[in-house]
Amino acid sequence: MAVTVRIPTPLRRITNNQDKVNVDGASLRAIIEALNTSHPGIKDRLCDESGELRHFVNVYLNGEDVRYLQGLATATKTGDEISIVPAVAGG
Amino acid sequence: MPYTTALRCRECGRHYPIEPLNVCEFCFGPLEVDYDYDAIKAKVSRASIKDGPHTIYRYEALLPVSRARAVDIGAGFTPLLRADRLGKLLGIENLWLKNDAVNPSYSFKDRVVSIAATKALEFGMDTIACPSTGNLAGAVAAHGAKAGMRTLVFIPRDLERGKILGAAVYGPTVIAVNGNYDDVQRLCSELADAHRWAFVNVNMRSYYAEGSKTLGYEVAEQLGWKAPDHAIVPMASGAMITKIYQGIQEFARIGLIPDAHTKMHGAQARGCSPIVKAIQGGHTHPKPEIPKTIAKSLAIGNPADGFYAIKAMKSSGGSGVVVEESEVAEGIMLLARTEGIFTETAGGVVISAIRRMAEAGTFKPGESVVAYITGNGFKTMEAVEPSVNKPIQIEANMESFEERVLAAVGR
């Protein structure tokens, strides 16, 4: 169930400068837990005290904002690509 | 020299050096420029500002770049006009228009891009870029040309022709992405991570956003050094309304105006109104939506500064106003036909929002009301094309004139 997670610059200190990390998990929540096991501390950056995604973090599954899907409950499968992207100003 | 001290996370307060950074490593909060306000207060006066240039750089002390090295094509210090005809029609005694449609590339974006381009050169970057709903693309292309930088602008595929041409003429590489603005923005965020390019509203955002403060400073100065009672601002990402309010507050903080009592009102069109929906529903954060609006310059479904825009509206005693899609062109026509100013769709949203607010009794007699008109109508001609009359065709003789024109317009 390997899913590729693209890591943005602000988080690469935690991933030893890797810009992509492969992890296993059947949902976004499971992916973040697995990421946190291999790279401790990353969950705190992505999620707030209640365990939900921080408001300034955008997470995309194959290009689709997970808030349009099922949020952290969104199912993931082998070959999926997850992008973590900080919010951007207007255009 | 700038009075900037550091970048500071707006959420957790952590400090960062003055570098091309925009996001806090710890909480992902936006980074903002911090200033030494005591030093600014000691140095800046109404008189010193009045002696400055007729551009945003008259407020140099409150900006994160030096005027001496600025990429400057004359952004800012646009007219603040009394709108007596429109005001009379809407029942507003003291209505003003901040006409930012007359900037060098015809939108308020010149303010923010001049700052971002200047900062990019300071950082030694040679490429300037942006994701854009159109206005920003033009401003980046113009400033990129002036600075002699390699320029790339990324736009959604369905953009208005005027906006594409208005960027392409300056010679940038224009990239039309198969998707909406939110898709373009995500792509650019990832590109900004991979290349050391100045994406003005991504990795340069902390500096870029500061340019919009000048919209607050100018109105306060032009009203005779006082804050307006009401400001009505179009909202896309929510950054501009936040920064206008910050600008007014900074002016009060350094003693240039007595107070910052302005009620901040934000306007969106029905087809993309996540910020207004959130404030009206009592939420602190907007829920992202897929934009379907004629007001393409406001078509950001996932507004990054929505949270702060809501805070500015709430804490100032203002409100969020939504107008129907059909009211966008109506607002454009109303402004053009009463005040002689041709604005783009965002301005149409603002004018119709003001009409609604006036009908609802938002403005008390005598209160000053400022409408921010942030872009030029020639960029979105499609929006009003169906509403304007076609020319009357005549032959080059008096008979033809009398028959076809006088019959229509009267003697």
Side-chain angles (χ1 to χ4, degrees):
Chain A
M1 298 281 277
V3 171
T4 303
V5 183
R6 297 168 71 97
I7 307 292
T9 306
L11 291 178
R12 286 185 200 157
R13 208 178 291 212
I14 301 177
T15 62
N16 304 317
N17 282 321
Q18 293 177 84
D19 58 1
K20 278 182 194 172
V21 174
N22 291 315
V23 286
D24 292 331
S27 72
L28 180 57
R29 197 183 299 276
I31 295 284
I32 290 176
E33 290 297 342
L35 262 182
N36 201 51
T37 305
S38 54
H39 301 93
I42 203 163
K43 186 183 169 189
D44 280 350
R45 305 292 176 86
L46 299 177
C47 300
D48 60 20
E49 300 73 32
S50 64
E52 292 304 306
L53 280 177
R54 289 184 184 276
H55 286 293
F56 298 104
V57 177
N58 297 313
V59 178
Y60 299 87
L61 174 66
N62 302 325
E64 185 88 7
D65 191 328
V66 298
R67 280 173 294 196
Y68 296 125
L69 304 171
Q70 286 80 48
L72 287 175
T74 305
T76 54
K77 59 181 190 313
T78 299
D80 278 351
E81 190 171 89
I82 290 173
S83 302
I84 302 169
V85 179
V88 182
Chain B
M1 271 309 287
Y3 293 90
T4 48
T5 53
L7 293 178
R8 185 176 42 81
C9 174
R10 204 167 163 161
E11 288 302 299
C12 71
R14 280 187 175 82
H15 284 82
Y16 293 84
I18 300 285
E19 280 173 16
L21 297 170
N22 64 314
V23 171
C24 176
E25 278 187 23
F26 289 87
C27 71
F28 272 62
L31 301 185
E32 292 214 308
V33 181
D34 227 357
Y35 297 86
D36 181 349
Y37 287 103
D38 292 335
I40 295 172
K41 188 172 180 173
K43 176 89 179 175
V44 174
S45 65
R46 291 178 182 177
S48 72
I49 289 174
K50 276 186 182 160
D51 286 343
H54 286 185
T55 67
I56 58 171
Y57 292 102
R58 68 201 278 106
Y59 311 106
E60 180 187 15
L62 290 152
L63 297 172
V65 296
S66 294
R67 178 185 155 200
R69 285 171 299 179
V71 181
D72 183 5
I73 57 174
F77 215 60
T78 53
L80 181 73
L81 305 161
R82 267 199 81 101
D84 286 335
R85 278 195 12 103
L86 180 60
K88 197 170 175 194
L89 199 76
L90 301 182
I92 307 169
E93 243 173 80
N94 198 4
L95 178 61
W96 300 81
L97 305 169
K98 179 60 173 167
N99 185 16
D100 234 30
V102 297
N103 271 303
S105 79
Y106 307 103
S107 85
F108 84 100
K109 292 290 189 187
D110 288 319
R111 298 173 183 271
V112 284
V113 174
S114 178
I115 306 282
T118 304
K119 205 72 195 170
L121 289 182
E122 232 176 78
F123 289 141
M125 298 159 116
D126 60 7
T127 301
I128 191 166
C130 68
S132 175
T133 60
N135 283 325
L136 182 58
V140 165
H143 286 84
K146 176 71 172 173
M149 300 173 84
R150 184 164 61 141
T151 306
L152 290 87
V153 299
F154 296 76
I155 55 173
R157 201 183 46 180
D158 70 339
L159 211 55
E160 299 100 337
R161 276 187 311 149
K163 285 188 179 155
I164 297 173
L165 185 76
V169 71
Y170 302 106
T173 302
V174 181
I175 301 115
V177 177
N178 187 10
N180 62 26
Y181 176 74
D182 296 288
D183 297 315
V184 181
Q185 170 178 291
R186 177 182 54 79
L187 171 66
C188 288
S189 291
E190 294 184 309
L191 289 172
D193 253 1
H195 303 272
R196 194 179 149 80
W197 295 345
F199 277 91
V200 297
N201 48 343
V202 184
N203 52 345
M204 302 301 289
R205 170 194 183 186
S206 311
Y207 310 100
Y208 159 97
E210 290 292 287
S212 287
K213 295 191 306 188
T214 58
L215 277 165
Y217 305 150
E218 284 177 24
V219 164
E221 180 181 349
Q222 290 168 319
L223 281 175
W225 302 101
K226 59 182 181 208
D229 297 314
H230 297 270
I232 297 88
V233 181
M235 296 189 296
S237 75
M240 180 171 50
I241 188 170
T242 310
K243 286 294 175 178
I244 291 174
Y245 193 44
Q246 184 184 334
I248 294 170
Q249 289 175 315
E250 285 179 343
F251 252 30
R253 179 171 179 176
I254 61 172
L256 293 175
I257 56 174
D259 58 55
H261 68 282
T262 310
K263 292 185 169 69
M264 302 299 299
H265 306 277
Q268 296 193 297
R270 177 71 65 192
C272 183
S273 48
I275 306 178
V276 176
K277 280 191 195 114
I279 190 170
Q280 289 180 346
H283 307 294
T284 54
H285 289 266
K287 185 172 180 290
E289 60 181 61
I290 308 280
K292 281 196 192 82
T293 176
I294 184 179
K296 290 182 185 166
S297 54
L298 305 182
I300 298 182
N302 183 13
D305 283 293
F307 170 69
Y308 296 112
I310 290 165
K311 228 165 139 175
M313 289 184 274
K314 268 196 190 155
S315 66
S316 69
S319 61
V321 186
V322 67
V323 307
E324 299 305 327
E325 289 293 313
S326 61
E327 292 176 86
V328 178
E330 282 171 24
I332 296 174
M333 303 287 285
L334 183 60
L335 181 65
R337 290 173 181 202
T338 53
E339 296 296 335
I341 289 173
F342 183 23
T343 183
E344 64 135 306
T345 46
V349 170
V350 165
I351 297 301
S352 286
I354 289 178
R355 179 166 62 184
R356 282 181 169 244
M357 293 163 75
E359 284 166 7
T362 307
F363 313 121
K364 295 197 187 77
E367 284 187 330
S368 55
V369 178
V370 174
Y372 280 90
I373 303 303
T374 55
N376 196 294
F378 285 99
K379 296 190 184 221
T380 60
M381 289 195 288
E382 293 90 337
V384 286
E385 230 158 20
S387 313
V388 296
N389 294 328
K390 298 265 181 302
I392 303 172
Q393 307 281 342
I394 66 168
E395 302 307 323
N397 61 55
M398 299 288 283
E399 292 75 21
S400 180
F401 176 77
E402 286 182 8
E403 180 191 321
R404 296 191 196 158
V405 181
L406 286 189
V409 303
R411 281 175 194 274

